[in-house]
Amino acid sequence: MASLYISHDLALVAKVADRVCVLEKGRIVEQADTQSLFSAPQNSYTRKLISAVPNPQQRLVQDAAGSQPLLTLDALTIDYGQQGFVDRLLKREANTTRAANAVSLTVHQGEILGVVGESGSGKSSLGKAITGLVPFSGELDFCGYALQGRAQMDKEYRRRVQMIFQHPDASLNPRMTIGEIIARPLRLYGLPPGETEAQAVARLLEEVRLPAEFATRYPHALSGGQKQRVAIARAFANPPDLVICDEITAALDVSVQATIIELLLELRRRYGTAYLFITHDLNLIRQIAHRVAVMYRGDVWKCCRREYERAGAASLYPRTA
Ligand SMILES: Nc1ncnc2c1ncn2[C@@H]1O[C@H](COP(=O)(O)OP(=O)(O)O)[C@@H](O)[C@H]1O
Ligand SMILES: [Mg+2]
């Protein structure tokens, strides 16, 4: 069987394809067998694309993380599918899934903690529990305040802990303009002193390097990378202490991914924000993370960068356990 394999995962393409075509703005700019395309790209766009693939040898974050704990999870457990009304009525057991099994980890101030693991290992659930989107048991300590459940997450906590999702199409309301989307947290948590709402929106758009006139557009009129910039602007409307980034570049090509990562690192330098960075891209994690946690079926396996690197990508998940 022949296959036309469309992807922006260059590493995967290099592995599976016999021949590769590079498309730019609706034109095939280069076409060659895989080996020669990756070893000696002729076209400048191909070269740019290949050079944007994260190089694990090249660290993008030089500074060390703070030593002060910001967020500490102690035996955090997430169960989906609790016995509901209908289950009780029919006297049947609830069909529960344990998405996180007594997860304990710490994020320090200004730290980038990478979280990796196969699909379904509970990474998104962990992020959602931390931001109060799903119920959890166990303890969550934020800046010295111990929270036993999401009911205890007050406005101040929700302002300081933000989340950016994988799919901006699902996380940006299609019926709101970009200006309204960014203004929402400003209305909820208050305007920065000395700024009107319109000024704050314009400044935030500029901070994520989008033109000010985007404020009147709707999300559908933006590209994937631009939409993620809007989600970043919304998360930084009131500079947070911690941002959960849940595979935020998974749907973007490598060159756009590189600019989004650059933006996040710049915002971190400016505001000292810590990131819980969920991704499948192990090379990217090696470029930016201070420490890495590996999740497997709801458990966190390792939380030490050196150990993880010694284990290597191939044997990331212990098969026997
Ligand atoms: N709303 C939900 N209801 C029931 N089960 C869920 C729900 N969300 C996620 N799950 C289950 O929880 C587990 C972890 O999912 P998820 O956190 O999305 O993993 P990941 O982000 O690592 O791919 C999976 O087995 C998934 O099927
Ligand atoms: Mg996920």
Side-chain angles (χ1 to χ4, degrees), residues 282 311-317 319:
L282 300 181
S315 58
L316 199 57
Y317 309 111
R319 300 278 167 210

Side-chain angles (χ1 to χ4, degrees), residues 80 97 99 118-125:
Y80 287 114
T97 306
E118 64 183 28
S119 288
S121 56
K123 308 181 298 295
S124 296
S125 301

Side-chain angles (χ1 to χ4, degrees), residues 133 163-174 176 181 184 219 224 227-232 234 246 248:
L133 296 171
M163 184 155 176
I164 305 170
F165 297 87
Q166 177 173 357
H167 301 290
D169 284 319
S171 72
L172 302 181
N173 188 338
M176 286 164 91
I181 289 170
R184 232 178 101 81
K227 278 184 263 198
Q228 266 328 22
R229 285 173 189 271
V230 173
I232 293 171
R234 176 174 61 183
D246 188 2
I248 62 167

Side-chain angles (χ1 to χ4, degrees), residues 78-82 95-100 115-128 134 166 246-247 278 280 295 297-298:
I78 305 162
D79 286 312
Y80 287 114
Q82 309 284 20
N95 190 9
T96 59
T97 306
R98 177 153 289 189
V115 176
V116 298
E118 64 183 28
S119 288
S121 56
K123 308 181 298 295
S124 296
S125 301
L126 190 69
K128 287 180 191 164
V134 298
Q166 177 173 357
D246 188 2
E247 301 195 42
I278 302 171
H280 286 291
M295 281 199 84
R297 299 201 183 158

Side-chain angles (χ1 to χ4, degrees), residues 181-249:
I181 289 170
I182 298 176
R184 232 178 101 81
L186 296 172
R187 283 181 202 165
L188 273 171
Y189 305 125
L191 280 168
E195 264 184 330
T196 65
E197 189 178 290
Q199 284 169 338
V201 168
R203 174 182 53 80
L204 284 161
L205 280 172
E206 194 197 309
E207 274 184 22
V208 296
R209 292 189 224 109
L210 289 176
E213 57 275 16
F214 272 31
T216 54
R217 287 202 194 180
Y218 286 88
H220 74 86
L222 269 61
S223 74
Q226 291 168 337
K227 278 184 263 198
Q228 266 328 22
R229 285 173 189 271
V230 173
I232 293 171
R234 176 174 61 183
F236 279 87
N238 301 74
D241 296 276
L242 174 67
V243 178
I244 320 263
C245 302
D246 188 2
E247 301 195 42
I248 62 167
T249 59

Side-chain angles (χ1 to χ4, degrees), residues 71-74 76 129-131 136 138-142 145-148 153 157:
L71 174 86
T72 303
L73 307 182
D74 187 12
L76 188 113
I130 295 171
T131 41
F136 63 88
E139 203 171 277
L140 184 158
D141 184 290
F142 185 74
Y145 293 98
L147 311 172
Q148 268 91 31
M153 292 175 180
Y157 178 88

